[in-house]
Amino acid sequence: MTPQLDLLICGSGVAGLSAAIRAAASPIYRGMRVGVLSKAELVQTATRWAQGGVAAVLSEDEDSTDLHMADTLRAGAGLCDRDAVRVLVEEGPGRVNELIALGAVFDRDDGGTLLLAREGGHSMPRVVHAGGAATGAEIERALVDAVRRTAAAVLEGWFALELIVEGGKCRGVRALAPDGTVNEVRAEHTLVATGGAGQLFSVTTNPSQSTGDGLAMALLAGVAVADVEFMQFHPTALHHPAMPRPLLSEALRGHGALIRDAAGERFIDELLPRDLVSRAMTARMLEQGVEHLWLDATGLESFDDRFPTIAASVRAAGLDPTTEWLPIAPAAHYLSGGIVTDLDGSTDLPGLWACGEVACTGVHGANRLASNSLLEGMVWAPRVVEAIERGKGGPDPTGAMRPLLRGTPSPGVIWASPLNVARPPFGSAGQPAADHTKLRDQLQRAMTAGAGGLRSAQSLADTEHTVVSVAAAAGPLAPPELRNLLVVAQALLTAAAAREESRGSHVRSDFPDIEPSFSHRFVLRMR
Ligand code: SIN
């Protein structure tokens, strides 16, 4: 057992590390006793893969936080919480400046002014970026350097298996240590910042680490989650066997790259929010009976200078972006929902906090606006720490927590019985690893076929059937990542089946329109 911490942080992306740095310097606690638990090396997170950048209004010359707010609400298709969005757009610029002060280097013009890109859904150029489209890598570098300068304990290669819940309060986690033993890591407060679950799908831009671990832990502990049907599909992933799929950033379209169909025709405004672009692409691919469309970036000036990392990944795939159209298809990219929190990141389990992609703060609604995700992590992490410093003991009816605690408007609570999946501690002598790899593959393919960019009651039921049979085959000795994917798959399928409409990134062929009576989030709990 490790010593009792003030704050245990699971996850080392932008949200987790921002919280660790802020907490380790807490003037109230005179430095909290902080532990950061990371299942791989600290840098191996989805943050590192983020391309486009961070959306924030850094100069009000032409732009304004009201415009950023309006763009975020429009992208979210009626399900954003206005107060949460207001917090995001107003606190975001300060957090970006703090990150710069910490050492993150963003792209600037020759006069030293920050360069701003425009992305889908944004009415103005307001996205700061680094290394062209290597923004996440620069942010992760700066945060890892900074966290290593603090007294925070860093536990790399530790896998959080389950929440310790005693007396109705979260007291830390049970975790698998690198030596294979299961240990309790106890803390007064536990922050889940474990990122998303793109690995639910066979075609994804997410790294292999994105297996929904924090979300599954929360679900299995009976914590409320919401909006998990809203898996966002990025429209312009390179159609190529490499996995994760190389991403062709929205910023390319912001610079003038065009989407063309199989006949070479344009058919969609490339700068619409990404759910609308993905939806139009999926429809056109079905109509034309093709597996991919094209991104035409041949008209962009200085492609290699402006987007060096994208140029390198495209050239590594044997393509020349300056002379050829690039094959593209939508790929699972970002889970807009997650663990329900209030405006301070408090969940409905005292002692448990969540922020970053794993959380549902209410900011993203049914479809996240491009480049609002790193921002959300940077904004909510210090809010969590400040709430802990104030001695906050449980959630308030604010943000995504409002409908849950106030009951208005109807939150549409769905109860789901958990699959019969393995519970920790996991045995080490399970089925041969190859079997579990095959089962994970089977799950991912079924999710892509039946719960991807286009869904129906039938396709969701077929997918659930596969999930149940994969869970049965995986058995009680399933590795934790497979167990977590199964739990999150079940939650996503349950919510997607209940949402009998098409809204944001959730598209149903049997309910193609938006249904006003579903203008609220679905909250899901496991019994
Ligand atoms: C991109 O660069 O297109 C991805 C950025 C994001 O997911 O917001």
Side-chain angles (χ1 to χ4, degrees), residues 303-448:
F303 190 110
D304 290 72
D305 289 344
R306 171 62 182 85
F307 299 106
T309 47
I310 299 181
S313 70
V314 167
R315 288 184 197 283
L319 297 160
D320 181 350
T322 62
T323 57
E324 305 176 69
W325 294 353
L326 307 172
I328 48 164
H333 183 64
Y334 188 89
L335 189 58
S336 294
I339 303 171
V340 178
T341 76
D342 69 7
L343 291 183
D344 293 319
S346 179
T347 75
D348 65 346
L349 175 63
L352 183 71
W353 308 76
C355 68
E357 186 173 351
V358 71
C360 176
T361 59
V363 157
H364 305 310
N367 172 57
R368 172 178 65 83
L369 181 66
S371 287
N372 266 356
S373 52
L374 294 169
L375 185 70
E376 190 198 27
M378 287 160 49
V379 166
W380 253 262
R383 290 185 78 85
V384 168
V385 177
E386 282 156 21
I388 291 172
E389 287 175 334
R390 290 197 304 274
K392 177 168 168 148
D396 298 316
T398 61
M401 192 63 78
R402 184 198 332 271
L404 194 62
L405 294 188
R406 286 228 179 109
T408 51
S410 158
V413 175
I414 307 171
W415 290 95
S417 310
L419 289 165
N420 188 16
V421 289
R423 293 277 180 148
F426 300 89
S428 49
Q431 289 170 267
D435 280 1
H436 287 128
T437 307
K438 236 191 314 187
L439 290 172
R440 178 167 165 161
D441 188 58
Q442 195 183 337
L443 168 71
Q444 290 169 327
R445 283 174 194 279
M447 289 293 288
T448 293

Side-chain angles (χ1 to χ4, degrees), residues 50-53 119 133 232 234 236 247-251 253 274 333-334 368-373:
Q51 291 192 351
E119 296 186 358
Q232 180 177 76
H234 196 293
T236 53
L247 184 63
L248 304 177
S249 172
E250 294 245 359
R253 279 175 279 136
R274 64 176 61 144
H333 183 64
Y334 188 89
R368 172 178 65 83
L369 181 66
S371 287
N372 266 356
S373 52

Side-chain angles (χ1 to χ4, degrees), residues 155-477:
L155 300 173
E156 287 173 291
W158 284 61
F159 195 115
L161 298 170
E162 67 177 348
L163 300 175
I164 301 170
V165 183
E166 289 167 357
K169 186 171 185 300
C170 181
R171 310 272 176 185
V173 300
R174 277 187 200 89
L176 197 57
D179 65 4
T181 58
V182 174
N183 294 262
E184 291 193 345
V185 186
R186 290 192 162 255
E188 192 58 25
H189 300 274
T190 302
L191 170 62
V192 177
T194 49
Q199 286 290 323
L200 279 173
F201 295 86
S202 58
V203 178
T204 179
T205 61
N206 288 191
S208 60
Q209 288 84 16
S210 300
T211 51
D213 304 323
L215 195 53
M217 276 199 307
L219 278 161
L220 291 174
V223 175
V225 309
D227 292 349
V228 287
E229 63 274 36
F230 297 114
M231 171 60 76
Q232 180 177 76
F233 295 84
H234 196 293
T236 53
L238 190 70
H239 183 70
H240 181 270
M243 204 58 69
R245 284 277 156 94
L247 184 63
L248 304 177
S249 172
E250 294 245 359
L252 292 173
R253 279 175 279 136
H255 272 66
L258 306 174
I259 296 177
R260 297 188 184 279
D261 69 9
E265 300 296 329
R266 284 181 70 195
F267 58 96
I268 182 80
D269 172 356
E270 287 83 358
L271 288 180
L272 285 174
R274 64 176 61 144
D275 59 326
L276 301 179
V277 179
S278 285
R279 209 187 276 202
M281 285 177 60
T282 303
R284 188 55 65 110
M285 283 157 60
L286 278 172
E287 238 170 75
Q288 298 190 323
V290 293
E291 285 191 351
H292 69 81
L293 301 177
W294 301 101
L295 187 72
D296 173 4
T298 57
L300 266 63
E301 277 176 25
S302 320
F303 190 110
D304 290 72
D305 289 344
R306 171 62 182 85
F307 299 106
T309 47
I310 299 181
S313 70
V314 167
R315 288 184 197 283
L319 297 160
D320 181 350
T322 62
T323 57
E324 305 176 69
W325 294 353
L326 307 172
I328 48 164
H333 183 64
Y334 188 89
L335 189 58
S336 294
I339 303 171
V340 178
T341 76
D342 69 7
L343 291 183
D344 293 319
S346 179
T347 75
D348 65 346
L349 175 63
L352 183 71
W353 308 76
C355 68
E357 186 173 351
V358 71
C360 176
T361 59
V363 157
H364 305 310
N367 172 57
R368 172 178 65 83
L369 181 66
S371 287
N372 266 356
S373 52
L374 294 169
L375 185 70
E376 190 198 27
M378 287 160 49
V379 166
W380 253 262
R383 290 185 78 85
V384 168
V385 177
E386 282 156 21
I388 291 172
E389 287 175 334
R390 290 197 304 274
K392 177 168 168 148
D396 298 316
T398 61
M401 192 63 78
R402 184 198 332 271
L404 194 62
L405 294 188
R406 286 228 179 109
T408 51
S410 158
V413 175
I414 307 171
W415 290 95
S417 310
L419 289 165
N420 188 16
V421 289
R423 293 277 180 148
F426 300 89
S428 49
Q431 289 170 267
D435 280 1
H436 287 128
T437 307
K438 236 191 314 187
L439 290 172
R440 178 167 165 161
D441 188 58
Q442 195 183 337
L443 168 71
Q444 290 169 327
R445 283 174 194 279
M447 289 293 288
T448 293
L454 190 59
R455 305 158 173 181
S456 68
Q458 188 59 52
S459 77
L460 292 166
D462 292 347
T463 310
E464 182 153 28
H465 186 74
T466 305
V467 170
V468 170
S469 67
V470 168
L477 296 178

